[in-house]
Amino acid sequence: MRRGAILLALCALPAISACGLQPMYAGGASSGVAQGLAAVDVPPIPGRDGWLVRNALRDRLGVANAGQGDATPRYRLDVRLDDALEALGVLNDDTISRERRILRSRYQLIDLATGEILLDATAGSDAGIDVVSSEYATIAAEQRALENLAQDVADRMATRIALVLRERERAGGAQ
């Protein structure tokens, strides 16, 4: 039985290698995608949620480390955020027992050379929060939820931007 499994695995190897999957960042920091991500300018986004998302984006895009050499951005990422906190669980005495924090982002990736909008998309995430008797604990949970949501939304945005830049590079449109 074990020989059959090994034989099956060996036969499947050519099929797996032909599936078309390719590493996104092949070539490390010198790859076209990594250089394209580092060339994205992320202007300040208003509010605490904007500050958190911008910092997370700059970390993921590699913008924070790109300030030494060629600091001329090729792209600009315009971001608008919507942060909402809504009551989910309401008890008999009209007190809230559970909240949901929602962070949504509408963003556009713009080629600065041509003014072309390369990507116009949305990203979002939400988190549930227990409302407890300690007001401090509830506020701390709301803030921590916002921090986690900012990281998640930035991850989604960075992944989508990387995909667009990879397709642009494949098509020969990257400069």
Side-chain angles (χ1 to χ4, degrees), residues 7-86:
L7 184 61
L8 180 64
L10 288 175
C11 291
L13 282 177
I16 291 173
S17 66
C19 69
L21 292 176
Q22 297 176 345
M24 177 86 67
Y25 302 104
S30 63
S31 72
V33 173
Q35 289 178 355
L37 289 174
V40 175
D41 176 39
V42 184
I45 307 167
R48 183 175 194 282
D49 54 351
W51 180 80
L52 290 166
V53 169
R54 181 175 188 251
N55 286 341
L57 276 170
R58 290 175 58 87
D59 288 344
R60 279 150 186 78
L61 299 176
V63 176
N65 300 328
Q68 287 84 16
D70 181 20
T72 306
R74 291 189 313 214
Y75 309 102
R76 183 181 73 238
L77 183 65
D78 293 334
V79 180
R80 286 183 292 153
L81 294 175
D82 181 28
D83 179 25
L85 191 62
E86 61 183 37

